[in-house]
Amino acid sequence: MFDDFLLRRTDADVRRVVLLGAGLDARTYRLPWPRGCTVFEVDQEEVLAFKQRAPGTGRPGRPCPGPRARRVTVAADLRLDSIHRRRIRDSNS
């Protein structure tokens, strides 16, 4: 349901998607994002580092493909305030 919502919005010319508390979410890798789409994955630095090291979950004998959109990670502790809001804003450039 959320996947469908995101794809409808990107089909309507939205080109930036922000996944707050991204965790091990694989949407950046598995959804058919349109050309020019950027997905921002926001989570704690330790979570993003683990996700980067974790092996893909492709089928046996077939490696997991890379991201299907431009993937930008933003390390932020969402329990904190303004410093992290600025990091998210500044990562867009």
Side-chain angles (χ1 to χ4, degrees):
M1 186 177 220
F2 190 56
D3 291 355
D4 294 336
F5 169 78
L6 292 173
L7 292 175
R8 280 194 310 274
R9 299 309 304 152
T10 56
D11 284 344
D13 293 331
V14 170
R15 290 296 178 260
R16 294 184 182 131
V17 175
V18 178
L19 301 175
L20 295 176
L24 298 179
D25 191 294
R27 286 181 176 91
T28 308
Y29 294 85
R30 65 179 176 75
L31 293 182
W33 300 106
R35 183 180 301 270
C37 191
T38 300
V39 178
F40 294 88
E41 296 182 1
V42 183
D43 212 319
Q44 295 176 28
E45 186 172 353
E46 298 82 13
V47 174
L48 294 172
F50 176 81
K51 185 175 183 178
Q52 189 66 34
R53 291 188 314 268
T57 57
R59 295 184 203 138
R62 295 178 68 192
C64 184
R68 300 178 83 179
R70 179 173 170 249
R71 178 176 176 253
V72 176
T73 59
V74 180
D77 186 335
L78 298 174
R79 298 171 294 183
L80 303 176
D81 278 339
S82 61
I83 292 172
H84 298 296
R85 287 191 198 129
R86 278 181 287 189
R87 281 174 129 178
I88 292 168
R89 183 194 65 220
D90 294 344
S91 72
N92 189 29
S93 43

